[in-house]
C-alpha cells in the first residue's frame, strides 16, 4: 500500500498545468527567431487572432444561448448523499411502518434513495459543453483560414 501511495505522489508534478506545452512553444518560437526573425511578429499576430477568435466564440455562445450554459451543479446530482434516519426498533425489524400501516423493507427504501439518478441534467450539460466547443472551434477555424 505504501509503494502505491509513493508511486502516485512521484507522478504528480509541482509544475503548473501545460508546462511542457509552454516549453515546446518557447523552443519553437526560439527556432523561428533564429531561423527567420522577421516571421516572429507574424507568428505573434496569428496567435493573437486565434486567441481573440476563441474569446469571440465563447461570448457568441453566451450571447446566443444565455439560459443554456453548462452548469457544474448538474454534476452534484451524481454525488448526492441521502441520509435515512431509522430508530433502533425499525433497524432491528428490517422495515419501516408507514402511517397507513404498510411495512416497507429498509433495503427498498435505500434503493429508492440511492437508486438510478435521472441523467437529464448531466446530458443537458454535456450538450451545452459540446455546443460551446463547436462554436469556439468554428470561430477559431474561420479566423485561422481567413486571417
Amino acid at each position: 500500500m505504501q509503494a502505491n501511495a509513493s508511486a502516485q505522489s512521484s507522478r504528480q508534478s509541482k509544475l503548473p498545468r501545460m508546462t511542457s506545452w509552454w516549453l515546446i512553444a518557447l523552443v519553437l518560437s526560439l527556432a523561428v527567431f533564429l531561423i527567420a526573425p522577421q516571421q516572429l511578429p507574424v507568428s505573434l499576430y496569428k496567435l493573437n487572432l486565434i486567441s481573440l477568435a476563441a474569446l469571440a466564440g465563447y461570448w457568441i455562445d453566451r450571447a446566443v444561448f444565455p439560459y443554456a450554459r453548462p452548469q457544474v451543479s448538474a454534476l452534484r446530482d451524481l454525488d448526492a448523499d441521502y441520509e435515512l434516519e431509522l430508530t433502533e426498533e425499525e433497524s432491528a425489524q428490517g422495515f419501516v411502518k408507514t402511517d397507513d400501516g404498510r411495512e416497507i423493507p429498509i433495503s427498498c427504501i435505500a434503493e429508492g434513495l440511492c437508486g438510478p439518478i435521472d441523467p437529464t441534467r448531466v446530458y443537458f450539460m454535456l450538450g451545452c459543453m459540446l455546443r460551446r466547443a463547436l462554436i469556439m472551434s468554428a470561430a477559431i477555424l474561420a479566423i485561422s483560414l481567413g486571417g
Side-chain angles (χ1 to χ4, degrees):
M1 187 98 164
Q2 292 284 6
N4 190 14
S6 63
Q8 286 179 349
S9 64
S10 66
R11 278 188 241 151
Q12 293 176 351
S13 175
K14 295 185 189 240
L15 296 173
R17 277 192 218 169
M18 307 271 297
T19 301
S20 59
W21 287 103
W22 278 104
L23 292 174
I24 291 169
L26 184 66
V27 167
L28 290 174
S29 297
L30 185 63
V32 168
F33 179 73
L34 293 174
I35 295 170
Q38 70 276 9
Q39 293 298 320
L40 200 56
V42 175
S43 298
L44 292 174
Y45 171 72
K46 289 186 181 243
L47 182 62
N48 184 33
L49 281 179
I50 290 172
S51 299
L52 288 174
L55 190 65
Y58 173 79
W59 283 104
I60 288 169
D61 179 70
R62 283 192 62 140
V64 175
F65 302 102
Y67 299 110
R69 294 191 288 178
Q71 300 293 339
V72 176
S73 63
L75 293 177
R76 289 191 201 117
D77 289 348
L78 299 176
D79 293 336
D81 285 334
Y82 298 101
E83 292 186 21
L84 179 63
E85 294 182 19
L86 299 173
T87 63
E88 287 182 29
E89 179 185 341
E90 291 171 334
S91 183
Q93 291 174 346
F95 61 86
V96 176
K97 209 168 227 195
T98 61
D99 293 337
D100 59 355
R102 290 185 303 148
E103 295 177 352
I104 302 174
I106 293 174
S107 60
C108 291
I109 294 173
E111 286 174 10
L113 290 175
C114 305
I117 297 169
D118 181 24
T120 306
R121 289 183 60 193
V122 177
Y123 290 150
F124 179 74
M125 183 186 74
L126 177 65
C128 291
M129 290 170 60
L130 288 172
R131 183 204 65 231
R132 181 170 287 175
L134 284 172
I135 290 173
M136 289 177 67
S137 298
I140 291 170
L141 191 61
I143 293 296
S144 297
L145 292 176

